[in-house]
Amino acid sequence: MPESAEEVQARIQTAVGEGGRLPMPPVHEWEIFPWELIDGELVPKVVEVIEAEPPRAGADGVGCFSCVGDGNAIRIWENDRWKVTHPPAPTGLPLVLWLHSKEHLDFADMGDDLAAEYGRLSVWLCRIIERMPHIGRVHVCRWGDGSEHLHTWFLARTARLSPVLGSFAAEWDEMLPPPPEEVWRADLRAVATKLANHDGFALV
Ligand SMILES: [Zn+2]
């Protein structure tokens, strides 16, 4: 079962003391980080036009993590057309999962039947995870700027844990101390088993 807000807070306090701040993650070093410090003030970066879109990982399937990398080692569920994977180790949020097509496609390349199945799987995943204890919401995100292969993020955040909300839940995933591995693995198993009640096979 995912941890409660009080359990997450207790682990934070063990790490940094009551009222303490977690260490800053290196997000400010990312090229896409939108702000910079100028004269002690955090301000938006200057917007520029670049020559061309940067190349994405796995373009045309070459060296694609999802197709030929170790993406299969972290599967929790699959059917003939889709698989659900997890990060190699627990991260700050209670659950982070990715839904990938098995075929090398971009999001907008899905045919109507595959898109309909994507919709059903997304709703099932959200419903399953949002009904777990202590989960406030599952954020479903498709960015696609990093890797070409169709993959959608499912970011589950803890209920009543402020200010871990909205799109910044993705940044809190880098900052919050991860849950115990046995709690995380039991939750992965629970999600995979429940999804397999609808379709496909649990692999954990
Ligand atoms: Zn691929």
Side-chain angles (χ1 to χ4, degrees):
M1 173 197 311
E3 293 177 309
S4 65
E6 285 80 5
E7 288 172 300
V8 177
Q9 186 191 42
R11 200 172 51 260
I12 295 170
Q13 290 179 350
T14 300
V16 294
E18 196 172 337
R21 293 178 193 276
L22 290 162
M24 185 69 187
V27 290
H28 58 288
E29 296 170 9
W30 296 357
E31 206 175 316
I32 58 170
F33 189 69
W35 300 286
E36 59 189 343
L37 263 180
I38 301 288
D39 299 331
E41 191 183 352
L42 200 58
V43 295
K45 287 179 178 170
V46 175
V47 174
E48 298 172 17
V49 176
I50 55 176
E51 193 76 21
E53 283 281 311
R56 294 187 294 171
D60 299 322
V62 178
C64 173
F65 173 81
S66 188
C67 289
V68 297
D70 58 356
N72 284 338
I74 50 174
R75 286 174 302 170
I76 62 166
W77 173 95
E78 69 176 357
N79 71 7
D80 289 343
R81 295 158 300 283
W82 297 93
K83 61 185 174 184
V84 176
T85 65
H86 61 76
T91 56
L93 294 177
L95 281 171
V96 173
L97 296 171
W98 295 284
L99 174 62
H100 316 237
S101 58
K102 286 193 170 172
E103 190 180 351
H104 187 90
L105 295 170
D106 204 345
F107 193 89
D109 295 335
M110 274 189 283
D112 288 352
D113 289 347
L114 202 63
E117 191 177 23
Y118 165 78
R120 282 195 297 276
L121 287 167
S122 296
V123 173
W124 290 337
L125 269 174
C126 278
R127 190 183 298 148
I128 289 165
I129 302 170
E130 288 189 352
R131 286 182 179 176
M132 296 173 95
H134 310 308
I135 297 296
R137 195 95 52 223
V138 177
H139 298 306
V140 183
C141 313
R142 180 267 179 172
W143 285 294
D145 284 340
S147 171
E148 181 179 272
H149 192 120
L150 194 173
H151 66 289
T152 316
W153 295 66
F154 292 77
L155 299 157
R157 67 161 180 80
T158 305
R160 301 183 296 107
L161 198 63
S162 177
V164 184
L165 283 170
S167 63
F168 282 100
E171 275 66 44
W172 282 105
D173 188 45
E174 305 269 343
M175 296 186 273
L176 295 167
E181 177 138 5
E182 64 272 18
V183 170
W184 179 68
R185 293 211 175 270
D187 292 339
L188 291 174
R189 266 194 304 279
V191 172
T193 305
K194 286 178 180 165
L195 189 55
N197 287 336
H198 292 280
D199 189 13
F201 300 93
L203 302 170
V204 287

